Structure formats: C-alpha cells, structure tokens
Amino acid sequence: AISMTSSLPIIDISPFLTPQSSPSSRQATATAINDACTNFGFFYLTGHGISTETLDHIIHLARQFFALPQEEKNRIKRHPANGPGGGDGARGYQGMGENVTEGRRDMHEAVDWYAEWEDEGNGEVKEGGKQTTYDVLKGPNLWPESPQELKQVYLDYISRLKEIGTAVVRAMGVALNLPPKPENGGDGEDEEVFVRATENSFWVMRMIGYPPLPYPSASNDDLDSLSCGAHTDYGCITLLRADATPGALQVLHKDGKTWIDADPIPGGFVVNIGDMIERWTNGLWKSTLHRVIHRGKGYRVSAPFFFEPGFDVRVKPLEKCVESSGGEGRFGEVVYGEHLMKKIGGNFVGGAETL
C-alpha cells in the first residue's frame, strides 16, 4: 500500500462551526470537501474544536476496556435479537472473529452503541414487567462498569461529534452548490437537505480492538482473515479517531487496484462518506472501499463514529446531482433504517460496521 498521508486532503471545518466566519472561508472549505469527495471519498478533518487530550482519552479508555479479562468484557456481550440472551442483535460487545465481512471472519473485537430507540415497547415482556428479549436494534445500550468513567466520557464525546457531523453535512450541501434554504423553511432539495436528514441521526459509536494479525503474509491479496475486510460504510459520514498505528487502515484508490494507507494525523479525524451520500449525489461522490490489515506491533485501538440519517429518512438522488451526472438517476429510493437492518442481518457469525 502506498502512503496516503501525503495525498489525502486536510480540511478545516471551523468555518462551519463558528457563526462569525466569512462567506469566503466557508466557500473554501466547501470547495475542498467537493474535491475530496469527488476524488477520494476520504479526507482528514481539523478545526473541529475537540482537544487532542480528549481524543487521546477516548482511545485510552477503549484500550483499558479491551485489556480487561474476557469474562468482564462478556458482561456486556451482544446477543441475537429475540433470543434467550436478551439482546437486540446489534448493541454490545463482540468477541474476536464474531464479525463477518465478505464471508470471512474479522480479527478484531468491538463494542457497539447506537442512538437510543425512541419507543422501547417491543420484543417480549415477561411477568413482572421485565423486558427479556428485544427486536433487532430496539434494546438498550450496554455500557461497561469498568473503566468507570467510560460511559459519561463517551456520551459527552458523542454529543460533540453530532455537532461536528452536522457541520460537515452542512458544508456538503454548500459543496454541491444546492440552492440556499428558502426563507419560509420548507423541506426541498436546498443546501440544508442533509442537515434535516440527520437531525434525528440514528448514529453508531464503536470502539474496536485489533491484535496484530498472527502470521506474516507476502501478499495482501491472499488472506485467510483480515483485521477487517473490505467494505463501504452504510450511512452519511464516518468520523474516525484511531491510535497512531501506521499502515493499518487502507483505502482503495479510484484506479480500483491500489490500496493506500490512511494513517492518522495528530489531532485530526479521518472522515469518509457512506452509501447514503453516494445515493443522494447519484454517484458524483462515491462511498470508498476500505479495510484494515494490522500487521504492525502492538494492539491497535480505533473509535469510529457513524453519523447517519434518521431511521425513517427516505434517501434518493437529488435532482441537481442527477442533472450534473448526465440526467439519469442511478439509484432508487431507500429508507435508511431498512438499508441498515439488511446490513446488520449479515454481519455476524450465524448473522456492525467497522473501521
């Protein structure tokens, strides 16, 4: 893989986070986003306002959790939906090799949290009113007791990331040259279209632990198992914070052959766009295949945040993007939640997205 750090754009999002920023600085950020999404589908994000100390602490807490004894981690284990374990099929801890990508087991462990389900009246409730099973995705989030501060630190972090996600998708509306929002509001295809679609975001927060892969390999193309197999993300945008391990996250270049290292930069996020943005833009911006092959030393930790549309949001190509890409819609309409449910169904051994 060739190193991407030299070629992947670095974009300062601060003009979309500070009200007093100039129109020209906002336009410069929007133009940079358009270039990055057209050419790579990936970029680095700076100017987001979260301190490097906070970002490092997020990784440190994840590392502490993964270092716990296995039985301690299993106390928040993900269980299949509607089964005896009381799980919802998605939330909680997954052990090594439990995730499947492209039919192969991924060599990582992880914890998944999702936006809380608004209405918890689902699944089976036993006598005494205690809920015992949940339909897919409709259970409560499972938080570890140790490290003790993890839950509160992560909840605060998620609320900050939602603000940053909103700023990025607002900049994307400007980047696509969509018309300004009309005075009377409305819900047309103006530059706030992605802001409205993510207002009630069905977000996902993950923390992932990758041990080094256990064997050397001359070729990356003949692998029995990967840290995480090649995939695109499902939704809008992914904000990834990872430890400093180089050469692990790889992005497929537009040539369809070259894998490029997307190594972390100090204090920044690695950002990529997902399948819903590709659909909205009618393929003008492509959701890029990426994978993780961790052959370095030590235990790699990453914490991706997936900023997604609302569960019930309908996604179809924007008229302006259809016109700009030759006049033919390449995608039908989907409801985001239905798209997500299909993906989750095939993601585990026996039945979440990763970075």
Side-chain angles (χ1 to χ4, degrees):
I2 57 176
S3 176
M4 196 173 206
T5 319
S6 55
S7 55
L8 196 61
I10 299 175
I11 297 176
D12 178 353
I13 195 61
S14 60
F16 283 88
L17 284 166
T18 48
Q20 62 275 36
S21 59
S22 68
S24 61
S25 66
R26 288 164 74 94
Q27 192 53 55
T29 294
T31 302
I33 284 179
N34 183 52
D35 291 348
C37 293
T38 304
N39 296 319
F40 295 101
F42 267 78
F43 55 90
Y44 293 110
L45 193 77
T46 61
H48 48 71
I50 299 183
S51 71
T52 304
E53 290 74 23
T54 299
L55 294 173
D56 290 347
H57 193 46
I58 288 297
I59 295 298
H60 173 68
L61 289 172
R63 193 177 291 286
Q64 282 185 297
F65 172 81
F66 291 125
L68 293 171
Q70 193 62 45
E71 62 271 18
E72 181 74 19
K73 292 186 277 196
N74 285 342
R75 287 172 68 175
I76 59 163
K77 191 162 176 51
R78 181 197 73 88
H79 288 289
N82 299 309
D88 73 354
R91 298 168 201 260
Y93 168 75
Q94 306 125 40
M96 204 67 68
E98 205 176 312
N99 259 282
V100 174
T101 307
E102 294 291 304
R104 294 194 288 199
R105 291 179 182 233
D106 293 324
M107 295 318 293
H108 64 254
E109 54 185 332
V111 181
D112 279 3
W113 301 283
Y114 288 78
E116 292 287 358
W117 196 260
E118 309 264 307
D119 161 31
E120 292 225 347
N122 51 68
E124 192 180 322
V125 182
K126 276 200 175 146
E127 288 170 34
K130 185 166 179 344
Q131 179 117 11
T132 54
T133 70
Y134 295 91
D135 295 338
V136 174
L137 274 178
K138 296 187 180 178
N141 280 322
L142 306 174
W143 293 95
E145 286 174 24
S146 174
Q148 199 178 344
E149 61 175 323
L150 186 144
K151 178 179 180 179
Q152 195 51 54
V153 170
Y154 266 69
L155 285 172
D156 292 345
Y157 182 57
I158 289 165
S159 67
R160 297 286 301 277
L161 290 174
K162 288 199 281 190
E163 290 169 15
I164 295 164
T166 301
V168 173
V169 299
R170 177 169 277 127
M172 286 176 163
V174 178
L176 288 167
N177 243 338
L178 295 172
K181 188 170 131 188
E183 291 296 322
N184 60 356
D187 55 1
E189 297 187 352
D190 59 68
E191 63 186 16
E192 294 277 297
V193 65
F194 303 139
V195 175
R196 287 192 296 276
T198 53
E199 204 166 27
N200 196 15
S201 172
F202 198 72
W203 54 262
V204 193
M205 180 81 229
R206 284 201 108 196
M207 56 185 199
I208 313 175
Y210 299 93
L213 287 169
Y215 55 89
S217 166
S219 154
N220 278 344
D221 301 320
D222 180 31
L223 298 172
D224 298 323
S225 63
L226 300 175
S227 306
C228 175
H231 63 285
T232 58
D233 293 341
Y234 318 151
C236 278
I237 58 165
T238 304
L239 296 165
L240 171 72
R241 185 66 194 162
D243 69 17
T245 307
L249 173 62
Q250 300 179 351
V251 177
L252 190 62
H253 188 271
K254 270 179 38 163
D255 65 10
K257 298 192 291 275
T258 315
W259 287 95
I260 307 172
D261 290 333
D263 294 341
I265 61 169
F269 289 103
V270 177
V271 179
N272 63 283
I273 54 176
D275 298 341
M276 296 298 105
I277 292 287
E278 178 170 341
R279 187 175 292 258
W280 263 314
T281 62
N282 203 40
L284 285 173
W285 295 352
K286 287 204 169 29
S287 172
T288 307
L289 274 172
H290 50 284
R291 67 185 186 185
V292 178
I293 300 179
H294 173 34
R295 299 204 179 286
K297 302 237 179 329
Y299 186 95
R300 177 182 184 256
V301 174
S302 78
F305 177 75
F306 303 94
F307 186 63
E308 312 297 48
F311 199 82
D312 300 321
V313 166
R314 296 180 171 276
V315 179
K316 68 179 199 297
L318 300 167
E319 285 302 322
K320 176 148 195 173
C321 295
V322 172
E323 284 164 28
S324 306
S325 54
E328 195 179 323
R330 295 177 198 163
F331 301 91
E333 182 177 81
V334 295
V335 176
Y336 175 66
E338 291 171 10
H339 178 73
L340 177 67
M341 292 288 206
K342 284 198 189 93
K343 292 283 192 178
I344 286 176
N347 263 4
F348 295 104
V349 174
E353 95 197 90
T354 65
L355 242 179

